[in-house]
């Protein structure tokens, strides 16, 4: 018991210290103001130094809309431009002779260069960019990751030096919780860092040529042939869809005709029988 007390007190102090470091960072993240907060130095307040422009972290997103004669070919040229700049394509949607929509990721320091190259591929109709300052968020994540990593290292050192079973179990539980929280924060920091390093640009390319506009006699001939086949195909589909209904109506008409013939035949038979009975009565009289 005498050896257990120091180990238990050390473990309790370590857990409390880690909670204060993690919890304090969370609170500062939730309520961090947009301007720099004052710092306490030598019992007085002074303004903290503003963030240098080179240390500022920004997430940049952009949207570019343009017209081109061949949207699919232009979209593939955009892909080549992005890959040459060291970026990547996250999504690509193509509609032949209609449109091409791309979502690309471009290194933040080469975004303006890439946009200027894309401008030369068609007629730009709309361009917008948004810059979101995430300096405080990124700094807060780094601080919380550093605090948790220090706490994890202390718990591991305590596990190596402790020989008491109860203290080992408590330290292992605390270590598992801190390690899970550390992994989550590191994943958030990696995701935010990727958004900072690679700007997101959406490129929407449409055609500036009307569907009916043709460049030559051959284009008109091909368009007429395609429209003829499309009309014939639609007619065949319509005939196929109407055949079951025609057969059904034909059967209904046949049944109705037979019923009318049967009723008519019975009516004639009844009229003939009534006339014969009347003639017999007259002859008897």
């Amino acid at each position: 018991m005498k050896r257990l007390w120091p180990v238990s007190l050390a473990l309790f102090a370590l857990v409390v210290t880690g909670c204060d470091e993690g919890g304090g960072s969370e609170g500062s993240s939730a309520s961090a103001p947009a301007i720099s907060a004052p710092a306490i130095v030598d019992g007085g307040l002074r303004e903290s130094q503003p963030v240098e422009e080179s240390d500022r972290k920004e997430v940049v997103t952009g949207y570019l809309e343009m017209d081109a004669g061949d949207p699919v070919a232009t979209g593939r040229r955009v892909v080549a431009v992005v890959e040459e700049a060291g970026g990547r394509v996250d999504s690509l949607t193509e509609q032949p002779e209609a449109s091409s929509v791309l979502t690309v990721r471009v290194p933040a320091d080469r975004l303006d260069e890439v946009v200027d190259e894309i401008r030369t591929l068609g007629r730009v109709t709309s361009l917008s960019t948004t810059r979101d300052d995430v300096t405080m968020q990124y700094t807060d994540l780094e601080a919380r990751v550093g605090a948790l990593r220090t706490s994890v290292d202390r718990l591991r050192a305590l596990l190596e030096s402790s020989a008491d079973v109860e203290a080992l179990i408590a330290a292992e539980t605390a270590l598992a919780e801190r390690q899970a929280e550390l992994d989550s924060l590191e994943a958030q920091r990696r995701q935010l860092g990727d958004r900072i390093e690679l700007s997101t640009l959406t490129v929407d390319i449409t055609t500036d040529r009307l569907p009916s506009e043709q460049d030559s006699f051959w284009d008109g001939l091909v368009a007429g042939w395609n429209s003829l086949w499309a009309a014939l195909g639609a007619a065949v589909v319509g005939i196929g869809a109407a055949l079951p209904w025609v057969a059904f109506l034909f059967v209904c008409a046949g049944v109705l005709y037979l019923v009318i013939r049967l009723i008519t035949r019975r009516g004639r038979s009844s009229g003939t029988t009534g006339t014969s009975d009347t003639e017999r009565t007259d002859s008897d009289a």
Side-chain angles (χ1 to χ4, degrees):
M1 291 298 293
K2 291 181 179 180
R3 288 187 300 172
L4 177 61
W5 272 105
V7 175
S8 300
L9 289 174
L11 178 60
F12 177 75
L14 180 60
V15 172
V16 170
T17 303
C19 291
D20 291 341
E21 291 171 349
S25 299
E26 280 187 7
S28 62
S29 174
S31 60
I35 60 175
S36 58
I40 300 178
V41 178
D42 298 333
L45 292 177
R46 70 171 178 84
E47 289 292 331
S48 61
Q49 295 296 326
V51 179
E52 296 293 337
E53 190 67 27
S54 59
D55 297 333
R56 189 175 299 278
K57 306 294 183 182
E58 292 181 334
V59 175
V60 183
T61 57
Y63 179 81
L64 188 150
E65 186 175 354
M66 61 186 301
D67 291 337
D70 189 346
V72 174
T74 304
R76 293 174 183 174
R77 293 175 64 185
V78 170
V79 172
V81 171
V82 170
E83 291 178 349
E84 288 177 1
R88 68 172 188 262
V89 179
D90 280 358
S91 66
L92 171 62
T93 303
E94 294 180 346
Q95 294 183 356
E97 301 181 2
S99 66
S100 180
V101 181
L102 306 90
T103 300
V104 298
R105 304 293 303 282
V106 183
D109 56 348
R110 301 195 63 181
L111 178 62
D112 294 337
E113 175 186 344
V114 169
V115 170
D116 290 339
E117 288 192 42
I118 294 176
R119 283 175 177 271
T120 63
L121 303 179
R123 185 175 64 89
V124 176
T125 58
S126 176
L127 174 62
S128 62
T129 58
T130 303
R131 295 180 177 272
D132 185 13
D133 191 346
V134 294
T135 306
M136 296 297 295
Q137 182 181 354
Y138 188 83
T139 304
D140 178 70
L141 280 174
E142 281 193 328
R144 293 169 64 187
V145 167
L148 280 174
R149 187 176 287 117
T150 301
S151 179
V152 167
D153 293 340
R154 290 176 181 172
L155 285 171
R156 286 176 177 170
L158 182 61
L159 284 174
E160 293 176 357
S161 61
S162 176
D164 184 75
V165 176
E166 293 183 1
L168 287 174
I169 294 175
E172 287 179 353
T173 302
L175 177 60
E177 294 176 355
R178 291 309 173 94
Q179 186 64 52
E181 187 176 357
L182 176 61
D183 294 340
S184 175
L185 289 178
E186 287 181 338
Q188 295 178 33
R189 187 180 63 174
R190 285 193 300 270
Q191 183 181 13
L192 183 59
D194 179 72
R195 293 173 58 198
I196 293 171
E197 293 177 4
L198 296 176
S199 301
T200 302
L201 178 64
T202 301
V203 183
D204 189 353
I205 308 170
T206 56
T207 181
D208 56 356
R209 187 174 65 178
L210 298 176
S212 59
E213 184 180 348
Q214 308 299 332
D215 293 336
S216 64
F217 172 79
W218 177 253
D219 290 338
L221 182 61
V222 171
W225 180 258
N226 291 335
S227 63
L228 174 62
W229 275 106
L232 290 176
V236 170
V237 172
I239 293 173
L243 278 178
W245 289 96
V246 172
F248 175 74
L249 293 175
F250 181 77
V251 172
C252 291
V255 172
L256 183 61
Y257 175 75
L258 292 176
V259 170
I260 293 174
R261 285 288 302 272
L262 182 61
I263 294 174
T264 304
R265 195 174 287 178
R266 286 184 178 179
R268 289 177 180 177
S269 299
S270 299
T272 305
T273 303
T275 303
S276 301
D277 293 340
T278 302
E279 291 177 352
R280 288 179 182 176
T281 303
D282 293 340
S283 62
D284 290 340

